[in-house]
Amino acid sequence: MTDRPPLVALDGVNKYFGSLHVLRDVTLSVGRGEVVVIIGPSGSGKSTLCRSINRLEPIDSGTIAVDGVPLPAEGRALAALRADVGMVFQSFNLFAHKTILDNVTLGPVKVRKLPRREAEQRARTLLDRVGIADQAGKMPAHLSGGQQQRAAIARALAMEPKVLLFDEPTSALDPEMINEVLDVMTSLARDGMTMIVVTHEMGFARRAADRVLFMDGGRVLEAGSPQEFFDNPQTDRARDFLSRVLHH
Amino acid sequence: MSVIADYQDELLGGMLTTIQLSIVTFPLAFVLGVLLSVLRLCPVPLLRAVGTAYVEVVRNAPVLVLIAVIVFGLPEVGLTIPLFTCVVVGLSMYFACYVCETVRSGIRSVSVGEIEAARALGLATSAVFRTVVLPQSLRSMVQPLATIFINIVLGSALGAAMGVHELTGTVRSVNLLEAQPILCFALAGLGYLVMTLTIGHTAGVIERRVRVVR
Ligand SMILES: Nc1ncnc2c1ncn2[C@@H]1O[C@H](COP(=O)(O)OP(=O)(O)OP(=O)(O)O)[C@@H](O)[C@H]1O
Ligand SMILES: [Mg+2]
């Protein structure tokens, strides 16, 4: 991965909420097709890091570039960049007043200016890919959590993003629905999608990640292959965290 | 019962005037209220203060006082406008405050997560407002706006105090001639009931059509 230019590059990123220092000198580069899983205790800054990459959270210092382009401050340029960075949220955040199909076509029609017909065709293909083709005409509230999250993934994919960000995509799901979402994510990873995934699902990390980052107190304390990290964590913090999450 | 037959035209005319007052006032109050809510939600402190001051001052005065100020105040500054218009202006200014607060809470009821999802798709701020915020908040505002409309209909009775011959004013005049207060005012009540039930029913139909299931 190192011989290719990074798709996402963070350099010396710092972020404060008031006096709380939530990201401390974070430097990270994610290559094309790479799947990076971020784990760490609650409050360690995982969501903030994830959200800073499409500037849902502005940062205080450092630089973030996507595909070589530094994040624009505001306005049209930022919107254009966000169109290339897909995001999947913990609470799905489907548009409650639109059908599943319309949720998926909204971005392509309004942002990419795709003709509706074409957008719908593509949306149906994507809904089929995530296994909910039969739900296209329903309102989000009428779907199970797992189906809603898969619709949200289809909505993000419809923009043909360069990279997909996931912030705890399965944390709001009942256990029996977690796997249907993880399966979709695993298959995306296999197909070469660049992904940055905040998750507590260690099985997914082992299976799909190229690299695991361990965060604590706003810092990236460890970064390595899943095998290195899970079998031989370097820091006490990581060992402690792993012993807690793996033994419950 | 002969009152009804004898004064049929007057009574219908009064009712028509009430309907006209309400139908002109509601959209004006709506537009003014939306503008006020934009002021109150806007990031510029001065504009926000203007919006807040308007709502606090106007909402806390009795409507009748507000209308009286317009009826008697405007000629003082050289503006003579018809009584009907004065009542419309007073009611609009007053009920705009309620529209403003309704719009504000409607907008606040839209899920922050959905707004973020729309931004994350690459929609510009104005597009986020048009495609997510506005459609959802309008849906949640149907019933409160209908309540405001009903209050406008009932509030238009204050026109009587200013000499506008709307329903209440007409009934009062008829009663002065016929001395049948119970019949006369019951008749007025019935007229208002027909109008307000119509509004309530229509709002119910609209609401069922556009409701957002969560
Ligand atoms: N909008 C905000 N305003 C103030 N503080 C915030 C805000 N968002 C997050 N924080 C704080 O910043 C720190 C990092 O939060 P963040 O959500 O990034 O953590 P996280 O690693 O995602 O945690 P979790 O596993 O609980 O989701 C926390 O202490 C949190 O309380
Ligand atoms: Mg989080």
Side-chain angles (χ1 to χ4, degrees):
Chain A
M1 299 280 161
T2 44
D3 55 332
R4 285 193 283 167
L7 190 52
V8 178
L10 286 79
D11 192 18
V13 169
N14 282 282
K15 163 81 185 175
Y16 296 81
F17 282 117
S19 61
L20 191 67
H21 199 169
V22 277
L23 293 180
R24 296 170 186 260
D25 270 320
V26 175
T27 296
L28 162 71
S29 85
V30 180
R32 257 161 255 275
E34 200 182 0
V35 176
V36 172
V37 164
I38 303 174
I39 65 174
S42 181
S44 56
K46 306 178 300 291
S47 296
T48 309
L49 177 65
C50 198
R51 293 160 54 80
S52 68
I53 295 172
N54 62 1
R55 217 173 190 280
L56 283 181
E57 290 300 350
I59 56 172
D60 295 302
S61 69
T63 58
I64 300 179
V66 174
D67 208 5
V69 181
L71 286 193
E74 271 304 327
R76 301 268 152 198
L78 178 60
L81 179 130
R82 283 181 176 146
D84 289 337
V85 179
M87 183 146 196
V88 176
F89 301 83
Q90 178 175 344
S91 46
F92 329 137
N93 296 343
L94 292 173
F95 306 123
H97 63 302
K98 291 187 176 293
T99 63
I100 296 302
L101 188 70
D102 288 344
N103 264 273
V104 181
T105 56
L106 181 76
V109 170
K110 299 275 177 203
V111 179
R112 300 272 191 235
K113 310 293 178 203
L114 224 64
R116 174 160 295 279
R117 211 168 235 289
E118 203 176 312
E120 281 185 7
Q121 224 159 36
R122 190 197 284 178
R124 288 188 193 280
T125 311
L126 286 169
L127 289 174
D128 188 42
R129 176 168 178 193
V130 300
I132 50 169
D134 50 337
Q135 310 292 324
K138 293 194 187 164
M139 301 307 275
H142 295 142
L143 268 59
S144 73
Q147 292 172 325
Q148 288 193 49
Q149 192 60 299
R150 286 184 281 153
I153 293 174
R155 174 177 68 180
L157 288 174
M159 298 299 287
E160 304 192 313
K162 293 174 178 165
V163 51
L164 268 184
L165 310 172
F166 294 82
D167 188 4
E168 301 204 24
T170 57
S171 298
L173 296 175
D174 293 336
E176 71 269 24
M177 294 170 188
I178 291 179
N179 279 330
E180 63 190 46
V181 172
L182 290 180
D183 287 348
V184 169
M185 291 169 59
T186 308
S187 99
L188 287 175
R190 290 226 177 88
D191 292 350
M193 175 59 77
T194 308
M195 296 163 55
I196 297 174
V197 184
V198 177
T199 185
H200 294 298
E201 294 296 328
M202 301 303 155
F204 173 80
R206 269 185 189 278
R207 198 167 52 209
D210 295 305
R211 194 150 42 117
V212 175
L213 301 188
F214 175 72
M215 283 189 79
D216 193 24
R219 273 182 219 285
V220 178
L221 289 191
E222 294 198 27
S225 74
Q227 204 142 33
E228 283 168 5
F229 177 74
F230 287 113
D231 298 345
N232 192 15
Q234 300 297 305
T235 57
D236 290 343
R237 296 274 196 160
R239 271 193 291 275
D240 183 47
F241 175 78
L242 284 176
S243 72
R244 273 185 290 125
V245 294
L246 296 176
H247 298 126
H248 73 234
Chain B
M1 278 296 152
S2 67
V3 169
I4 302 176
D6 293 349
Y7 296 95
Q8 193 180 351
D9 290 349
E10 285 81 354
L11 290 170
L12 281 177
M15 182 132 164
L16 192 66
T17 306
T18 291
I19 291 172
Q20 284 168 339
L21 274 174
S22 315
I23 278 185
V24 177
T25 298
F26 182 69
L28 286 176
F30 182 76
V31 171
L32 184 58
V34 170
L35 290 177
L36 283 171
S37 70
V38 170
L39 286 183
R40 293 204 70 176
L41 291 166
C42 127
V44 184
L46 178 69
L47 295 179
R48 236 181 13 240
V50 170
T52 308
Y54 179 98
V55 171
E56 290 308 332
V57 170
V58 174
R59 187 176 58 181
N60 290 317
V63 207
L64 187 57
V65 171
L66 184 63
I67 296 173
V69 166
I70 293 165
V71 169
F72 300 111
L74 287 184
E76 290 290 316
V77 296
L79 262 173
T80 42
I81 55 175
L83 284 176
F84 180 93
T85 313
C86 288
V87 174
V88 165
V89 170
L91 289 173
S92 305
M93 285 177 66
Y94 181 79
F95 284 102
C97 298
Y98 290 92
V99 172
C100 168
E101 297 307 288
T102 300
V103 171
R104 281 208 314 153
S105 67
I107 285 176
R108 271 194 303 241
S109 74
V110 178
S111 125
V112 177
E114 286 178 46
I115 295 172
E116 282 192 340
R119 289 165 69 205
L121 282 177
L123 268 73
T125 308
S126 58
V128 174
F129 191 77
R130 266 182 287 116
T131 55
V132 178
V133 179
L134 202 60
Q136 291 206 21
S137 46
L138 279 177
R139 285 162 160 84
S140 70
M141 288 187 295
V142 173
Q143 286 299 350
L145 285 176
T147 306
I148 291 172
F149 201 172
I150 286 173
N151 277 302
I152 288 175
V153 172
L154 301 179
S156 71
L158 291 170
M162 294 295 144
V164 175
H165 283 276
E166 41 64 75
L167 187 53
T168 301
T170 309
V171 160
R172 198 178 55 181
S173 310
V174 171
N175 179 47
L176 285 179
L177 299 171
E178 300 293 326
Q180 292 207 43
I182 295 178
L183 178 62
C184 285
F185 286 102
L187 216 53
L190 194 67
Y192 285 111
L193 197 64
V194 168
M195 291 183 271
T196 55
L197 284 179
T198 307
I199 295 170
H201 178 75
T202 311
V205 171
I206 295 175
E207 167 139 86
R208 270 191 298 282
R209 272 219 196 125
V210 302
R211 180 169 40 202
V212 180
V213 191
R214 290 198 180 272

